[in-house]
Amino acid sequence: MHYWLLMIALAGFVLSISAQENSPVRTPDEPGAALENQAAALIDEILLEIPQLESKENQIAAATLAIDLIWQRDEQRARALARETAAKIRSELVPILEKDELLRAYLLYPPHQYQKLRTDFLLKIVKYDPAFAQKLAAATAPLVLKAVPKTPNEQTTIFNWQKEERDLEQRLAFRLADKDVEQALAVARESLRKDSSQESLNVLRRLQFKDAKIADAFADEIIRGLLTEDFTKDRGAHETTAVFFRQLDPQTGGFGGMLVCKDCSLPAALNLNPQRLRQLAAKWLNYALTLDDEKAGFYILPAAGLLEKLVPGKKAAIRVKIAAIEKNAPKRFEYEQFERKVSDREVPPEELAKLALTKKGVDRFHAYRQAFVKAANASRAALERLSASIADHPENEEKRWLVDEINVNLAGKTAEEGELDQAYEMSQKIAKRDRRLGLLAFLALEFQKKGETEKTKRLTEEIAALLDLSTKDKMPKAIVGYDIFSTVFQTFAKTDTTRAFELVETVLPAANDSYFGGFPNLHELKKRHASQLLSYAETVRRLAETDFERTRRLTLYFKRPELALFAKLLIAQAILDEKYEWGNVADFKQMVVITN
């Protein structure tokens, strides 16, 4: 297990990827002001430590988080830090190269990691001051974007960086659209004039929620831009077109119908130019039909119905290709057929579970999991029907997983209906310890809400016994990197903060000694585990309210300065940010291409 998995033990410390609002500064007499003053002092300490980090990459990553945290409390200080950070980014992406051979070497191996840091940095700034963000974007624009290639390798490198720049411009427009539709449209349009980008589909989706007419106009611009692309030379343009058609509902014409999030709202259908839409479909099909069957299956199968409708003259060719995919790429064909059943509301969970009998290993698990998710999202009765339908299925690991998940979910629904004692009895039948722990943690909070102190205490003691906090070698290793840790940690913080401190203090020493290998990259740490870190925000604030110094001392378990500083940042953010929302979670509901 890599070091960042264990960071989740301290976690909690909310990582708001793009919080749209920060909490206002409290007056000295308001509740929580003293704690916020302690957090502010911690930020002062952090700002002194950032320049001392060995890695410039980590300096930039830490400063980016700090800027986001202090902007609304001290804008002048945040702007100064932003300029300093931009200068560090520029020093790597816009180096001073006096000799041509140095430029040629730079073009072969440009510092891509700093482009990622630049993207994260600019996406933070744009939500506060778009003009400032655009100024910093221009100042840090990588030298490679304007270089003149002399070899095929240089040409490929420059092309790829230019594509990434278009993606960044569209992502900035996506963020802008949440506040200023006209400005977002201007940025997105200017970017589209240079080249296409899959990210423009996210902008389109957000514009649909803001202004239908503007969304229609922008969709037409995307289509017209894609019509000028050469799909044989630009895979990105081909994939953007594929995603566009995949997201169009063949029945209603609605855009964004294939979203990954549950219960995402759908705006009105786009009013598209039918002639241009048919032209794009025909052009794209001419290329897609030449792909090998595996790739073609990935692109054509999800949108086959719509494509046949738009280009009836290609119906026979599409059917022939689908037959070839079924024969030569059967796994891809089966996967798409199965996913279609998953998304079809008329297909019951029992049918998905039955399909699991025809599969093995990971594929069987996937089928069972989709059956469970579909039933759990439907109703308690649907879960009970699913449970009855698998009674005669052969015993195997995947089935045991499904039985446990159904039982846990049924117990949870029983608790939600107010039958807590019955739900507790059901918890005793859960075979897998982690799942029982999660259910007990949930029930403890429910008993606490009802004011049943003794039952809450009994459950926390039962949880502690299952964890065996007193013996390090018996501490379940998986619990650190598994979301059950979050559940138990949060429950202890709300019901017994002493046990919450004991849990994290028991895990951290062994975690630091055993798993924090390699040099910590704060940007990757944040990127990979932001959602888990978010889940602990309220938990850590509760610990800090109980004992700020003991909470702060948790950072001492991290021997590497980078991780200790990151932990301090996250503690401060958990205290100062009242909007415990991972910004991209809200953004995801209006995305068709999921990005970090």
Side-chain angles (χ1 to χ4, degrees), residues 353 368 385-395 399 402-403 406:
Y368 272 147
R385 286 194 297 270
L386 177 60
S387 179
S389 75
I390 64 171
D392 295 332
H393 285 205
E395 290 297 324
K399 179 187 173 181
L402 178 57
V403 169
I406 291 174

Side-chain angles (χ1 to χ4, degrees), residues 357-576:
L357 295 176
T358 65
K359 303 178 183 297
K360 297 180 180 180
V362 174
D363 292 334
R364 182 165 55 202
F365 171 78
H366 178 66
Y368 272 147
R369 185 178 185 278
Q370 293 299 328
F372 165 72
V373 171
K374 197 166 192 178
N377 286 339
S379 64
R380 177 173 181 168
L383 276 171
E384 291 170 341
R385 286 194 297 270
L386 177 60
S387 179
S389 75
I390 64 171
D392 295 332
H393 285 205
E395 290 297 324
N396 52 58
E397 183 179 350
E398 292 78 22
K399 179 187 173 181
R400 287 191 289 273
W401 174 88
L402 178 57
V403 169
D404 256 2
E405 291 302 308
I406 291 174
N407 289 338
V408 169
N409 205 271
L410 284 173
K413 290 184 182 299
T414 300
E416 289 172 355
E417 293 168 2
E419 300 295 333
L420 298 185
D421 291 316
Q422 183 182 346
Y424 174 75
E425 292 301 322
M426 295 170 71
S427 74
Q428 302 307 298
K429 299 176 183 178
I430 307 300
K432 192 172 181 181
R433 178 177 59 177
D434 284 355
R435 301 308 289 138
R436 192 193 307 175
L437 279 169
L439 180 55
L440 291 175
F442 170 71
L443 291 177
L445 295 180
E446 293 301 303
F447 277 119
Q448 185 185 53
K449 289 176 185 176
K450 292 183 68 175
E452 299 195 36
T453 306
E454 289 303 315
K455 289 181 180 178
T456 302
K457 183 179 179 181
R458 185 185 71 191
L459 282 177
T460 55
E461 289 174 352
E462 186 173 340
I463 293 168
L466 282 172
L467 285 173
D468 196 359
L469 297 181
S470 63
T471 311
K472 289 184 182 179
D473 62 350
K474 290 185 179 180
M475 169 66 71
K477 291 182 180 179
I479 208 169
V480 181
Y482 186 58
D483 59 6
I484 186 63
F485 180 88
S486 169
T487 305
V488 172
F489 190 32
Q490 291 177 66
T491 295
F492 281 172
K494 294 176 180 178
T495 61
D496 189 337
T497 53
T498 298
R499 279 201 166 105
F501 275 117
E502 286 176 354
L503 173 59
V504 72
E505 289 167 347
T506 300
V507 171
L508 282 175
N512 189 72
D513 294 340
S514 302
Y515 299 111
F516 293 152
F519 190 79
N521 182 312
L522 298 187
H523 175 74
E524 288 300 317
L525 170 64
K526 178 211 68 175
K527 179 181 176 181
R528 295 190 183 203
H529 297 289
S531 58
Q532 296 99 317
L533 294 170
L534 164 73
S535 67
Y536 300 111
E538 184 180 354
T539 303
V540 172
R541 184 179 177 96
R542 283 177 178 271
L543 295 186
E545 289 171 342
T546 302
D547 189 334
F548 176 81
E549 284 305 319
R550 189 173 180 181
T551 304
R552 188 188 182 286
R553 284 198 300 273
L554 294 174
T555 66
L556 300 178
Y557 287 106
F558 299 98
K559 306 305 179 186
R560 294 183 181 275
E562 296 82 4
L563 293 175
L565 184 146
F566 188 53
K568 292 176 186 177
L569 258 172
L570 298 177
I571 291 173
Q573 194 160 13
I575 294 170
L576 295 173

